[in-house]
Amino acid sequence: MKILFLGDVVAKSGREAVIRNLSNMKAETGADFVIVNGENAAHGKGITASIYSRLTSAGADVVTLGNHAFSKKEIIENMDLCPRLVRPANIEPADAGTPFVVAECGGKRIAVVSIMCEAFMMPVTMPPYEAMSRLLPEIDADLIIVDLHGESTGEKMMFARVFADRVTAVIGTHTHVQTADEQIIDGCAFITDVGMCGPFNSVLGRDADEVISRYVYKKPSRYTPAAGPSLICGCLIETDEKTNRAIRIVRMQKRPRQSD
Ligand code: FE2
């Protein structure tokens, strides 16, 4: 089984890049199943039901979220229109949406789970370890892929070590910068952060001039996603058909041409 995981889709540029390239990427990688983190898909913060539907129509089997899960309030009312949208297990509001989905693919049941880290993040309702430990007995699946959304590299590495024997992959998201530490830990694929699908010429997907104006020159400004072409960051996880354990993780990065 090959699973393609694409990192945080940022705003219009990231969305359009993913929607335009996903079917080719599936064909090139031979991916059977696709997970996309969509937590920054709507103007850099949150997601709408209509964007969820565009991502799934383009080939995403499951869309995950993060700290901006509920930044666009309409998604709370429209969760029933988004059956494969996964919100972090350990943030408020606890009753909106689901912290995991189980999808069938190639005769396997694939669970996709979303967990929020604690360090340098918004308040969580429980530590990530406790949230994952509580969910595990509820999940009946052959493969378990965790989207671990957080800032701290060490926290994500520690989480992977704690759950490596019980899950298939722990894929870090949120920092928007891809790390070069992909590895297999006891049959569990891990990368600290898979990186973003968002505007390349930016500060983490945000307009660089706006960020500098706000943080260096202390001028009030509104959050502005950068324009221009996007890079696409992701990873391909391969599992053994018999054991369902991860045997390979390959980092992927598709950058726009510098002349674009
Ligand atoms: Fe995030």
Side-chain angles (χ1 to χ4, degrees):
M1 174 74 59
K2 287 183 179 170
I3 299 166
L4 176 64
F5 191 117
L6 297 184
D8 315 32
V9 174
V10 182
K12 186 176 180 188
S13 167
R15 270 187 340 251
E16 297 310 322
V18 167
I19 289 164
R20 201 169 51 243
N21 286 287
L22 191 48
S23 77
N24 276 350
M25 290 181 81
K26 270 185 91 166
E28 281 167 15
T29 57
D32 304 291
F33 194 80
V34 178
I35 302 165
V36 175
N37 182 301
E39 84 123 2
N40 303 114
H43 203 66
K45 291 182 179 178
I47 193 165
T48 61
S50 134
I51 290 174
Y52 164 87
S53 147
R54 290 193 67 207
L55 290 171
T56 50
S57 299
D61 293 290
V62 174
V63 177
T64 54
L65 295 172
N67 53 307
H68 289 300
F70 307 116
S71 292
K72 300 284 179 283
K73 298 295 172 217
E74 70 113 81
I75 198 64
I76 298 177
E77 275 85 58
N78 290 324
M79 278 292 184
D80 53 338
L81 302 175
C82 309
R84 287 187 176 184
L85 184 63
V86 183
R87 50 71 50 88
N90 49 342
I91 62 168
E92 297 286 4
D95 57 352
T98 177
F100 75 91
V101 295
V102 179
E104 289 270 340
C105 176
K108 305 280 186 189
R109 286 159 303 149
I110 304 174
V112 181
V113 183
S114 171
I115 300 282
M116 180 81 77
C117 287
E118 216 170 6
F120 315 119
M121 299 297 286
M122 65 196 279
V124 288
T125 55
M126 67 183 87
Y129 319 101
E130 190 184 333
M132 190 70 212
S133 299
R134 283 190 189 200
L135 277 185
L136 275 173
E138 293 179 35
I139 299 173
D140 179 18
D142 300 303
L143 308 173
I144 302 177
I145 313 295
V146 182
D147 178 337
L148 183 62
H149 200 74
E151 188 71 46
S152 158
T153 50
E155 188 179 17
K156 290 193 260 189
M157 288 177 182
M158 193 164 57
F159 181 100
R161 295 273 166 186
V162 171
F163 292 102
D165 60 336
R166 285 166 283 172
V167 306
T168 317
V170 174
I171 306 300
T173 56
H174 177 71
T175 71
H176 293 193
V177 178
Q178 188 176 74
T179 56
D181 64 334
E182 73 280 12
Q183 59 196 280
I184 301 293
I185 306 169
D186 298 335
C188 170
F190 171 69
I191 185 166
T192 296
D193 205 293
V194 74
M196 73 169 175
C197 299
F200 184 71
N201 186 6
S202 70
V203 176
L204 309 180
R206 188 167 168 178
D207 182 82
D209 290 338
E210 187 259 319
V211 173
I212 292 166
S213 168
R214 182 182 182 89
Y215 292 99
V216 178
Y217 300 108
K218 312 295 180 198
K219 293 183 181 160
S221 66
R222 294 187 70 177
Y223 180 97
T224 312
S230 274
L231 86 159
I232 296 177
C233 290
C235 66
L236 188 71
I237 303 151
E238 194 174 343
T239 61
D240 182 275
E241 282 305 303
K242 287 202 179 87
T243 64
N244 293 325
R245 300 299 289 155
I247 50 175
R248 203 161 71 104
I249 175 167
V250 178
R251 204 161 26 98
M252 299 166 52
Q253 209 183 97
K254 210 178 168 80
R255 292 189 184 195
R257 288 192 304 268
Q258 293 294 298
S259 57
D260 282 353

